[in-house]
Amino acid sequence: MDNRNILISGAGIAGLTLAYWLNKFGFNPTVVEISPKLREGGYAIDFWGAGFDVAERMNIVPDLRKADLGIPELVFVDKDNKRKGGFNNDKLRKMVNGRLVTLLRSDLSKVIHEHLDKDIEIIFGNSIHKIEQTQEEVAVTFDSGNTRSFDLVIGADGLHSNVRTLIFGDEAQFEKYYGYYTSSYTFENGVFNDRSVRMYNIPGKQVTVYSINENRAAVLFVFTSPEQLSYDHHDIEKQKEILIAKYENTGWKCNELLSKMDTSPDFFFDVVSQIQINRWSQSRVSLVGDACDCPSFLAGQGSTLAMVGAYILAGELKEANGNYTTAFEAYENIFKPFMESKQQSAQKFAASIVPQNKFSIWLRNAFTKLMRLPFVRKPFIKRFMDDTLELKNY
C-alpha cells in the first residue's frame, strides 16, 4: 500500500469518518483538531439517506438510535403558540422504512469517535500553519511549531476550511452566499418541556425550539439578509448584538429565548453558504465534507453526506492501492455531480424553512397538513429524501 500516512485536518463528522475507514482499509491516519476536545452542543440533525448506509457499514446505527432525541412531531405555531401546521415524525420515519434518526450533531461525532480504533492518533488543540508539498511527501508545520511529514493531507475542516485556504486560496472565491444567517445554542430547560419541535415564522425569520432532555433545550434561529453582514467571526458579543437586533420584540417567545443566550455554553452564529470549487484536490492534498461540497445546513443532509464523501474517498484510496492521483480523480467523478445536485435542492428547499411573506408561510403550513395523504407524501419523499447514489462495497 502506497502513501499510508495521512493527516486529516478536523475531528468533525467528515474527519472522524474518514479516519475510521482509512484505518479499516490499512492506512495510518492522524487527526488534528483546533478545538481542545470534541465539540459539544450544536443543533439537531435528521440522519437519513446514503449516510445511513455508511453508518450501517460502520455498525454504529444501534448507538445512533440510543442518541435519538425521541421527537414525536414538528409543529408550526403562530405568535400565540397555536398550531398552524406540522407533521408527525413517526409517520415520516415509517415512510423511509425506519431509516431516520434525529440527534444532536455533536452526538453523531461522539458515536463515531467511540468506534474509532484506539491506536488512531488524534491531536487536539492544534492546527495546520503551513503545508509544503514535494513529489515524495507533504511537510506540515503546526501552530505549535512542530513539523511532521505525511504522504497525504485531507482537509475535513468545514465551511471555513484552513486547509482549503492554504492550498487553494482565499475563501471568498469559493463561498456562495445565499442570503441566510443562522444561530443556535442550548439552555437550561425550565419552560419548553414538550418533546415536540416548535417552529415560529414571520416573513424572513424562523425560530425553532426543542427539548434535548429533561434539563436542557435548544433553539435555532434562521433569518434572511440581502447583503452579507460585516463582523468578526471571533467576536461573539457582536454576533449576539446582531441576533438581538433581528429578533427582539418579534413575537412568540423570542424575547425569552434571547434572554437565555448569555448563560449558554455553546453559542453559535454563522453565515449560511455553500462551497463551490472546481477541483477538490491539488497534488497530495484533497478536501472532504463541507470544506469542498458544503450544501448548507438547509439541505438537511450536510452531516450524513459528509460521511458518504469520507467513505468514498477512503474506498477509492484503497482500490487505487494508495495511488492518490487515481483515487482523488475517482472520488470526484463519483461524488461531485451528486453533491452539485444536492446543493441545487438546498437552494429550493430553503424557501420552505424561511418563507419570505405571510402567504408563503400559510402555504407551507397548509402543505404539511396534506402530508398524511399518500399522493402528496410519496412525491415529497422521492424529491427530498430519496438518495439515488448507490455506494460501492470497497
Side-chain angles (χ1 to χ4, degrees):
M1 184 79 73
D2 295 328
N3 302 309
R4 292 186 66 249
N5 297 314
I6 302 176
L7 176 65
I8 302 167
S9 176
I13 292 165
L16 294 177
T17 303
L18 182 61
Y20 175 95
W21 286 108
L22 286 175
N23 176 263
K24 186 176 180 65
F25 292 152
F27 294 91
N28 179 33
T30 298
V31 182
V32 60
E33 166 59 44
I34 192 170
S35 174
K37 60 180 181 178
L38 285 181
R39 298 180 188 273
E40 299 178 351
Y43 50 81
I45 60 171
D46 289 325
F47 187 85
W48 48 274
F52 207 98
D53 296 335
V54 176
E56 286 179 328
R57 298 179 189 198
M58 296 171 71
N59 297 313
I60 65 173
V61 172
D63 287 341
L64 296 182
R65 294 197 188 281
K66 290 178 184 177
D68 194 307
L69 294 174
I71 294 171
E73 62 178 345
L74 168 63
V75 182
F76 299 115
V77 299
D78 63 12
K79 61 182 179 64
D80 298 315
N81 206 37
K82 293 182 180 178
R83 184 187 183 110
K84 292 298 179 180
F87 52 83
N88 185 288
N89 209 35
D90 290 333
K91 289 183 178 178
L92 186 63
R93 187 175 286 108
K94 289 179 180 178
M95 294 179 205
V96 292
N97 300 316
R99 296 165 59 81
L100 170 65
V101 179
T102 302
L103 75 169
L104 293 179
R105 197 172 188 272
S106 56
D107 283 345
L108 175 56
S109 294
K110 182 180 178 182
V111 169
I112 299 170
H113 180 261
E114 289 172 347
H115 283 259
L116 290 182
D117 188 292
K118 302 306 179 185
D119 291 332
I120 294 176
E121 180 185 12
I122 302 182
I123 306 167
F124 285 105
N126 210 342
S127 184
I128 298 174
H129 178 73
K130 187 177 181 181
I131 297 174
E132 294 181 291
Q133 300 190 67
T134 68
Q135 289 186 341
E136 292 78 27
E137 64 180 13
V138 186
V140 175
T141 303
F142 294 97
D143 285 348
S144 62
N146 293 341
T147 299
R148 289 174 59 178
S149 294
F150 298 90
D151 296 316
L152 305 173
V153 172
I154 309 295
D157 42 359
L159 174 66
H160 305 298
S161 170
N162 177 48
V163 171
R164 187 186 62 232
T165 298
L166 290 172
I167 297 299
F168 295 93
D170 186 68
E171 178 178 298
Q173 60 185 313
F174 310 119
E175 180 186 3
K176 306 300 178 184
Y177 175 61
Y178 282 103
Y180 300 90
Y181 281 82
T182 184
S183 180
S184 68
Y185 50 88
T186 63
F187 56 91
E188 188 172 340
N189 189 8
V191 179
F192 300 95
N193 295 317
D194 186 349
R195 298 297 297 172
S196 300
V197 172
R198 292 192 170 264
M199 182 185 291
Y200 170 67
N201 285 93
I202 60 174
K205 299 176 185 179
Q206 174 258 99
V207 188
T208 302
V209 181
Y210 51 92
S211 293
I212 297 173
N213 52 46
E214 293 181 357
N215 301 316
R216 296 201 70 77
V219 58
L220 173 70
F221 299 88
V222 185
F223 63 89
T224 58
S225 177
E227 303 293 334
Q228 281 194 263
L229 304 176
S230 177
Y231 64 93
D232 188 329
H233 290 293
H234 302 289
D235 189 346
I236 293 179
E237 292 307 313
K238 177 61 176 179
Q239 296 166 17
K240 290 180 178 180
E241 289 176 10
I242 294 171
L243 195 63
I244 290 171
K246 289 290 181 181
Y247 282 92
E248 194 171 34
N249 300 321
T250 55
W252 192 49
K253 301 179 183 295
C254 290
N255 285 355
E256 181 181 358
L257 292 167
L258 291 172
S259 72
K260 309 285 187 182
M261 194 164 46
D262 286 335
T263 60
S264 175
D266 51 16
F267 178 83
F268 169 83
F269 184 98
D270 205 354
V271 65
V272 177
S273 299
Q274 294 183 347
I275 294 298
Q276 297 179 6
I277 183 169
N278 291 332
R279 290 278 301 180
W280 291 354
S281 63
Q282 185 187 103
S283 188
R284 291 178 173 270
V285 178
S286 189
L287 305 171
V288 70
D290 283 353
C292 62
D293 58 27
C294 178
S296 87
F297 88 97
L298 296 175
Q301 279 186 282
S303 300
T304 56
L305 293 174
M307 293 180 68
V308 176
Y311 171 75
I312 294 173
L313 175 55
E316 291 303 321
L317 280 166
K318 177 196 174 188
E319 286 212 336
N321 202 38
N323 183 321
Y324 64 88
T325 303
T326 300
F328 290 169
E329 183 177 0
Y331 157 59
E332 289 192 37
N333 288 340
I334 293 169
F335 199 50
K336 198 169 189 294
F338 177 77
M339 285 307 302
E340 287 172 349
S341 70
K342 287 294 182 181
Q343 288 184 326
Q344 294 171 7
S345 295
Q347 296 165 28
K348 298 174 183 177
F349 193 61
S352 66
I353 298 177
V354 192
Q356 299 302 300
N357 53 63
K358 291 182 178 179
F359 175 73
S360 295
I361 294 173
W362 175 87
L363 189 64
R364 188 274 314 276
N365 294 346
F367 174 79
T368 61
K369 295 177 182 178
L370 299 175
M371 283 283 285
R372 67 175 69 96
L373 303 175
F375 68 88
V376 175
R377 185 169 63 238
K378 290 180 180 179
F380 176 85
I381 294 296
K382 184 173 181 60
R383 181 175 181 183
F384 293 108
M385 300 188 71
D386 186 14
D387 286 341
T388 57
L389 185 67
E390 187 172 339
L391 299 178
K392 294 164 64 173
N393 289 313
Y394 293 108

